[in-house]
């Protein structure tokens, strides 16, 4: 459809026109009585789709307007809407005077539907010469008996006043006000109030204040209009703010969810009093708990999060009501509820109730009904992290949950068990009075723990914090009981991993006893009455006892023993160190226990030495050797001087309790980077005021109807204008914006092509706007210049560029809208077609490909180390890129990769109070990266001193997709960097796209790609 047709048309209906009829053919059909309606319908469809029939206007006036058929009347309304009402020079056609007469007759028609339809048509008319003779008839319809007519009459009056000003209908506000006072139809009343709201605000305020007691009984659509008035008036004229806010308070408890939500938003934006904020929060919480739609819940939670930033004290009393939303099965809703409540709303006044509720929710996840529910395991992890965050600072509450959480130590889920042991480690380190009961309970359940990491955590706590003699004996007995029967033989582990060898040995044993077995054949009667035979295998007398003994022996093996036999070297070293520390802490230990511990250490050393991946020089073997030396020296056996000195050095290191001080530093760092930091204020964006900016005292300002915020801006503008800096700064900002846009412009065709095309791709969240500038490089007029586009990837073309006509040398801008579905590298390609008057066929030029930059979808984000490891083990897609770069410094390469991927260092929360001017949201700058590297002291030390550095990075897309990366860099002696970058994600698209991005940018420091 041409642009000329779209300019005047407010109706679009598709019509497949094969060969359109001529004007004469349509005129004959319109003149006939039988085919009049069908001919008019076809004419309307043809005109909507670009055909022009200017000669038929008079035919319509002569033969169709007088028809009383309702279908013809309905089609006429559409025809008057789409017909071209002006001449080529822009003057109104003379025939439209006759049309005005027909419209006036319809406005006075006895049928209310025809009147209402005509009034709706006049709402779309933008020609005053057509509307001027109809004003009196329109105003007369305001008092019609039928509400449908009155409703459309009000909107017609509003449209006329809005388009041509209040001077053309000076009596309209008074008439509308009179109608509003006596009107009983809700829709008509809403339309009348909207007209007053936008055209005569003083009358609207007067009406609302006179009816403020009845507003709460009116319908929701009228109440929403009243709230719109309140928001406008309170900002412009604070004089009536108090009385209008009283109306908002009354409407906040409305049964309509839309009104309740709008009231809460209005109270938050217009008032900062605790009463208003409490009322708004109450309305939000009611919506949160009563609405079943998860999208509504997420929107309300976003609003509560905004309220929490500025009014934390008001929301503290409603934390339990907000927690009621945990009944929603959506994990996103539950996570956001935790973020809101645990970040700053938990206090000593409500900690008891919060912990009780969380304990109740944890117990629910263990129930039979919750086992098959999707997301139950993730919800349990979330609850355990929440309990950890709540009780970490409250010892009395920690006692009530620590034994409940210890039940999860034996879980097969490593994340859950690891979170529990981290929680117990923090309690043991910070609260000495809780150490004995926790360690005693740990010693009892140690044999049942399944995860190696959890076992190592327990063993370290035993070696560091067990002091009492009885507890030392209990822990040693628990460890030895989990390792028995001794000695530890590597063949047991091989039997599990070598089913072929195990089955061969079983075959040998079976063959040796086969002779002792006896098979008896006997005759039996089958179910159908026939005879058959069966073979009966009979065991010998001692065979059952041997099998039972084997099963009993196998059942005693613990997971600790299985892991050690399976080759877990780190766990072997941890067992050796912990048992050695425990033996050294007690003096009256039984000799048999001491010897059994020494036997265990020797067994572990032999296992490590004999393993294919171990050896005498492995870290675990060296550590076990040190432990054996300490035990032997402690028993009084003579040692060489160098061995004795090494043993004394180890004793001194353990006696210094350096491990506890290191743990304190780790816990301090973990609390700073915690997902929910209790007791810390939420960072609120603060406006920075320069030393040369104006200081405005709001109390000393005159109240002339303008808001305080706008006044301060005006003062600053006046001050800058007086100094002459306003124009210069604005020009500099415009120049920077132009330079940024110019850098992203891509050439789509050659300069020698007949049509030169340039493209600029602008990203708006989930939409892409493609601006195409086309220049006619020929001396001929090019008609129907059309850019045909196609996409590859998760891109969907929504609005295609319109066809245009280009004069010689003329340039024109067209636009296309593209919808983005995921973070996947997309490609836009196509061609441009055009027609010349001298050429019979269309000509075509192929466009260059346009690649969508993935960096526009990646935003920096923060994540904890535990959550990173969990996602790393769960994500399926991995993309590995070998490092091949000309950069010779590790720090420079790491900075370069982080800048070009917007990825942040894992475990480091980097939160700025406000974005600098000109910085895009979610984009990293060089200062941000340097700040993160300075905070990560360990990584910075590795960069400066080591030839090998490994860093974990994290980012998140605007679609909620997580992107994980592990960068392993090695600096060779000749100065070149080598290594690899491993990317993992839940979906394939982001892993491949991010890998392509890193491959492109890693070769050299060319800055952020344009």
């Amino acid at each position: 459809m041409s642009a000329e047709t779209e300019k005047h048309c407010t109706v679009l209906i598709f019509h497949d026109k094969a060969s359109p009829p001529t004007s004469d053919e349509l005129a004959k059909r319109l003149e006939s009585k039988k085919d009049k309606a069908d001919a008019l319908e076809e004419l309307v469809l043809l005109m909507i789709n670009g055909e022009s029939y200017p000669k038929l206007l008079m035919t319509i006036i002569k033969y169709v307007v007088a028809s009383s058929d309702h279908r013809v009347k309905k089609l006429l309304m559409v025809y008057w809407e789409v017909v071209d009402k002006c001449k080529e020079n822009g003057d109104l056609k003379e025939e439209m005077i006759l049309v005005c007469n027909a419209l006036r007759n319809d406005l006075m028609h006895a049928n209310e539907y025809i009147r209402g339809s005509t009034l709706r048509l006049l709402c779309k008319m933008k020609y005053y010469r057509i509307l001027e003779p109809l004003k009196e008839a329109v105003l007369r319809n305001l008092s019609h008996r039928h509400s449908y007519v009155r409703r459309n009459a009000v909107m017609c009056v509003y449209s006329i006043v809005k388009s041509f000003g209040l001077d053309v209908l000076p009596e309209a506000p008074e008439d509308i006000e009179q109608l509003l006072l006596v009107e009983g139809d809700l829709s008509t009343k809403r339309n009348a109030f909207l007209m007053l709201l936008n055209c005569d605000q003083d009358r609207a305020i007067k009406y609302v204040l006179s009816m403020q007691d009845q507003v709460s009984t009116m319908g929701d659509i009228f109440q929403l209009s009243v709230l719109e008035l309140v928001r406008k008036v309170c900002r412009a004229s604070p004089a009536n703010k108090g009385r209008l806010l009283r109306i908002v308070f009354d409407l906040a408890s409305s049964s309509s969810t839309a009104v309740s939500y709008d009231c809460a938003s209005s109270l938050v934006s217009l008032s900062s009093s605790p009463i208003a904020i409490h009322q708004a929060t109450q309305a939000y919480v009611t919506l949160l708990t009563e609405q079943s739609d998860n999208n509504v819940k997420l929107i309300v939670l976003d609003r509560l999060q905004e309220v929490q930033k500025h009014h934390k004290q008001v929301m503290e009393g409603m934390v339990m009501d907000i927690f009621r939303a945990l009944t929603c099965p959506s994990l996103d809703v539950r996570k956001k509820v935790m973020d809101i409540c645990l970040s700053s709303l938990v206090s000593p006044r409500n900690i008891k109730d919060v912990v009780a509720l969380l304990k109740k929710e944890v117990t629910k996840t263990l129930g039979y009904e919750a086992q098959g529910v999707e997301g139950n395991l993730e919800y349990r992890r979330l609850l355990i992290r929440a309990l950890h965050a709540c009780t970490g600072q409250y010892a009395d509450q920690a006692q009530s949950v620590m034994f409940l959480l210890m039940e999860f130590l034996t879980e097969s889920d490593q994340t859950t068990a690891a979170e529990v042991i981290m929680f117990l480690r923090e309690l043991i380190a910070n609260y000495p009075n809780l150490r004995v009961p926790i360690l005693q309970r740990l010693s009892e359940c140690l044999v049942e723990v399944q995860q190696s990491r959890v076992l190592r955590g327990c063993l370290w706590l035993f070696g560091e914090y067990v002091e009492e003699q009885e507890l030392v004996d209990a822990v040693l007995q628990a460890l030895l009981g989990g390792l028995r029967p001794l000695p530890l033989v590597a063949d047991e582990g091989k039997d599990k991993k070598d089913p072929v060898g195990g089955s061969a040995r079983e075959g040998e044993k079976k063959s040796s006893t086969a002779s002792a077995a006896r098979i008896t054949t006997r005759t039996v009667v089958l179910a159908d009455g026939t005879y058959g035979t069966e073979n009966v295998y009979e065991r010998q007398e001692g065979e059952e006892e041997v099998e039972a003994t084997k099963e009993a022996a196998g059942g005693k093996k613990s997971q600790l023993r299985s892991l050690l036999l399976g080759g877990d070297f780190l766990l072997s070293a941890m067992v050796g160190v912990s048992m050695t520390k425990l033996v050294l802490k007690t003096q009256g230990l039984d000799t048999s226990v001491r010897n059994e511990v020494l036997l265990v250490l020797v067994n572990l050393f032999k296992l490590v030495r004999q393993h294919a991946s171990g050896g005498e020089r492995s870290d675990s073997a060296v550590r076990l050797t040190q432990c054996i030396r300490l035990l032997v020296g402690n028993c009084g056996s003579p040692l060489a001087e160098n061995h004795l000195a090494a043993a004394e050095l180890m004793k001194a290191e353990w006696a210094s309790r350096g491990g506890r001080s290191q743990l304190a530093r780790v816990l301090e760092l973990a609390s700073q980077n915690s997902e929910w930091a209790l007791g810390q204020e939420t960072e609120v964006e603060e406006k920075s005021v320069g030393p040369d900016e104006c200081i405005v005292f709001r109390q000393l300002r005159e109240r002339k109807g303008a808001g305080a915020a706008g006044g301060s801006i005006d003062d600053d503008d006046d001050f800058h204008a007086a100094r002459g800096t306003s124009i210069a700064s604005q020009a500099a900002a415009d120049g920077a914006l132009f330079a940024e846009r110019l850098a992203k412009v891509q050439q789509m065709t050659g300069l020698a092509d007949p049509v030169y095309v340039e493209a600029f791709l602008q990203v708006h969240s989930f939409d892409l706007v493609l601006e195409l500038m086309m220049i006619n490089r020929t001396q001929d007029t090019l008609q129907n210049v059309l850019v045909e586009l196609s996409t590859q990837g998760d891109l969907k073309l929504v609005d295609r560029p319109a066809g245009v006509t280009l004069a010689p040398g003329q340039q024109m801008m067209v636009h296309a809208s593209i919808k983005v579905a995921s973070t996947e590298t997309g490609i836009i390609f196509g061609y441009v077609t055009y027609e010349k008057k001298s050429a019979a066929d269309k000509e075509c030029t192929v466009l260059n490909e346009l690649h969508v930059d993935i960096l526009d979808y990646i935003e920096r984000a923060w994540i904890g180390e535990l959550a990173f490891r969990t996602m790393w083990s769960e994500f399926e897609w991995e993309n590995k890129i070998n490092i091949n770069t000309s950069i010779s410094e590790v720090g420079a390469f790491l900075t370069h990769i982080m800048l070009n991927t917007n990825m942040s260092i894992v475990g480091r929360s980097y939160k700025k109070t406000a974005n600098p001017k000109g910085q895009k949201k979610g984009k990293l700058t060089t200062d941000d990266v340097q700040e993160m590297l300075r905070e990560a002291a360990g990584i910075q030390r590795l960069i400066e001193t080591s030839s090998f550095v490994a860093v974990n990075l994290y980012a998140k897309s605007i679609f909620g997709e997580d992107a994980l990366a592990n960068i392993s860099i090695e600096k060779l002696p000749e100065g070149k960097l080598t290594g690899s970058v491993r990317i993992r994600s839940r979906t394939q698209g982001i892993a491949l796209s991010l890998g392509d991005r890193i491959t492109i940018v890693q070769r050299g420091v060319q800055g952020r790609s344009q």
Side-chain angles (χ1 to χ4, degrees), residues 104-167:
R104 191 176 187 281
N105 292 334
D106 288 339
L107 287 174
M108 309 303 295
H109 201 279
N111 188 299
E112 61 270 8
Y113 173 77
I114 294 177
R115 285 197 185 203
S117 300
T118 308
L119 289 166
R120 291 186 64 181
L121 170 66
L122 295 181
C123 290
K124 304 171 185 177
M125 289 285 186
K126 303 302 177 185
Y127 300 95
Y128 183 65
R129 288 186 58 190
I130 298 177
L131 296 171
E132 185 178 13
L134 305 176
K135 293 189 297 183
E136 183 182 352
V138 170
L139 291 175
R140 195 176 300 171
N141 278 305
L142 290 174
S143 57
H144 192 271
R145 59 181 176 81
H146 202 283
S147 61
Y148 177 72
V149 178
R150 297 195 303 272
R151 183 189 316 151
N152 287 287
V154 171
M155 295 310 296
C156 185
V157 171
Y158 177 38
S159 176
I160 294 173
V161 172
K162 186 178 180 181
S163 301
F164 306 104
L166 196 58
D167 295 335

Side-chain angles (χ1 to χ4, degrees), residues 115-278:
R115 285 197 185 203
S117 300
T118 308
L119 289 166
R120 291 186 64 181
L121 170 66
L122 295 181
C123 290
K124 304 171 185 177
M125 289 285 186
K126 303 302 177 185
Y127 300 95
Y128 183 65
R129 288 186 58 190
I130 298 177
L131 296 171
E132 185 178 13
L134 305 176
K135 293 189 297 183
E136 183 182 352
V138 170
L139 291 175
R140 195 176 300 171
N141 278 305
L142 290 174
S143 57
H144 192 271
R145 59 181 176 81
H146 202 283
S147 61
Y148 177 72
V149 178
R150 297 195 303 272
R151 183 189 316 151
N152 287 287
V154 171
M155 295 310 296
C156 185
V157 171
Y158 177 38
S159 176
I160 294 173
V161 172
K162 186 178 180 181
S163 301
F164 306 104
L166 196 58
D167 295 335
V168 300
L169 286 174
E171 69 276 16
E174 185 176 355
D175 293 343
I176 295 294
E177 185 182 15
Q178 294 300 321
L179 172 66
L180 195 58
L181 293 173
V182 298
E183 182 58 53
D185 180 66
L186 186 60
S187 298
T188 308
K189 185 176 293 234
R190 188 271 311 266
N191 292 352
F193 186 78
L194 281 177
M195 192 268 179
L196 287 182
L197 169 62
N198 292 281
C199 301
D200 195 339
Q201 201 173 89
D202 293 335
R203 289 179 184 269
I205 296 173
K206 180 182 176 182
Y207 172 77
V208 169
L209 294 178
S210 65
M211 302 286 293
Q212 63 180 0
D213 295 332
Q214 288 82 26
V215 171
S216 57
T217 61
M218 298 179 181
D220 55 350
I221 58 175
F222 185 81
Q223 293 171 350
L224 290 173
S225 303
V226 173
L227 291 173
E228 184 180 350
L229 170 73
V230 171
R231 284 193 294 271
K232 284 187 176 182
V233 171
C234 289
R235 292 191 179 99
S237 57
N240 296 314
K241 183 176 179 180
R243 300 178 66 186
L244 292 175
L245 281 180
R246 192 177 303 119
I247 299 176
V248 181
F249 272 98
D250 296 337
L251 294 178
S253 57
S254 172
S255 59
S256 171
T257 55
V259 174
S260 179
Y261 178 82
D262 220 7
C263 285
S265 302
S266 301
L267 287 173
V268 171
S269 61
L270 297 177
S271 176
S272 59
S273 69
I275 299 176
I277 300 302
H278 182 272

Side-chain angles (χ1 to χ4, degrees), residues 758-925:
E758 280 185 352
F760 171 70
L761 192 64
Q762 196 167 5
V763 180
H764 296 288
S765 295
F766 307 115
D767 297 321
L768 299 177
V769 177
L770 182 63
E771 297 181 3
L772 296 168
M773 186 184 69
M774 300 184 294
I775 304 176
N776 184 0
R777 303 280 295 174
T778 66
Q779 299 300 319
D780 302 323
T781 299
L782 302 181
Q783 299 177 343
N784 294 329
V785 182
L786 185 64
V787 178
E788 292 287 349
L789 297 174
S790 298
T791 60
Q792 179 181 344
D794 280 344
L795 303 177
K796 181 182 179 182
L797 200 60
V798 179
D799 295 329
R800 299 181 179 274
V804 296
T805 299
L806 294 177
Q810 182 185 2
Q811 70 178 34
M812 190 172 290
M813 190 81 73
V814 294
H815 298 82
S817 297
I818 301 168
K819 200 76 173 176
V820 186
S822 68
T823 314
E824 183 176 347
T825 301
I827 300 174
I828 303 172
F829 58 94
Y831 54 90
V832 55
T833 60
Y834 50 90
E835 297 176 359
K836 293 182 180 179
K837 290 185 177 180
S838 57
D841 299 329
K842 288 185 177 181
E843 298 187 26
C844 174
T845 303
V846 179
L847 302 175
N848 291 332
E849 291 182 349
L850 186 65
H851 292 262
V852 180
D853 192 358
I854 188 180
L855 196 61
D856 294 323
Y857 308 131
I858 300 293
E859 294 182 347
R860 63 175 178 176
W862 174 86
I863 194 174
E865 295 178 357
L866 183 61
F868 178 88
R869 286 193 293 268
T870 303
M871 286 194 291
W872 185 268
S873 62
E874 292 177 352
F875 287 178
E876 301 175 354
W877 296 100
E878 178 174 317
N879 189 10
K880 184 177 181 181
I881 303 100
N882 293 324
I883 295 177
N884 183 14
T885 179
S886 59
I887 305 174
S888 58
E889 294 297 330
V890 175
F893 178 77
L894 189 59
T895 302
H896 179 61
I897 293 297
M898 292 173 65
L899 279 176
N900 283 278
T901 57
N902 279 333
M903 303 192 83
S904 306
I905 298 176
V906 172
R908 305 286 167 178
S909 60
Y910 182 69
K911 303 173 185 175
K912 276 190 168 292
T913 55
N915 286 336
K917 294 182 179 179
Q919 179 183 342
K920 293 184 178 179
K921 179 185 177 183
K923 305 300 180 185
L924 278 176
T925 63

Side-chain angles (χ1 to χ4, degrees), residues 355-374:
V355 171
L357 184 140
L358 293 176
K359 285 171 59 179
K360 184 178 179 181
E361 290 295 319
V362 170
T363 308
K364 285 183 182 179
T365 62
L366 300 174
Y368 178 76
E369 296 82 1
Q371 296 305 315
V373 178
E374 184 180 0

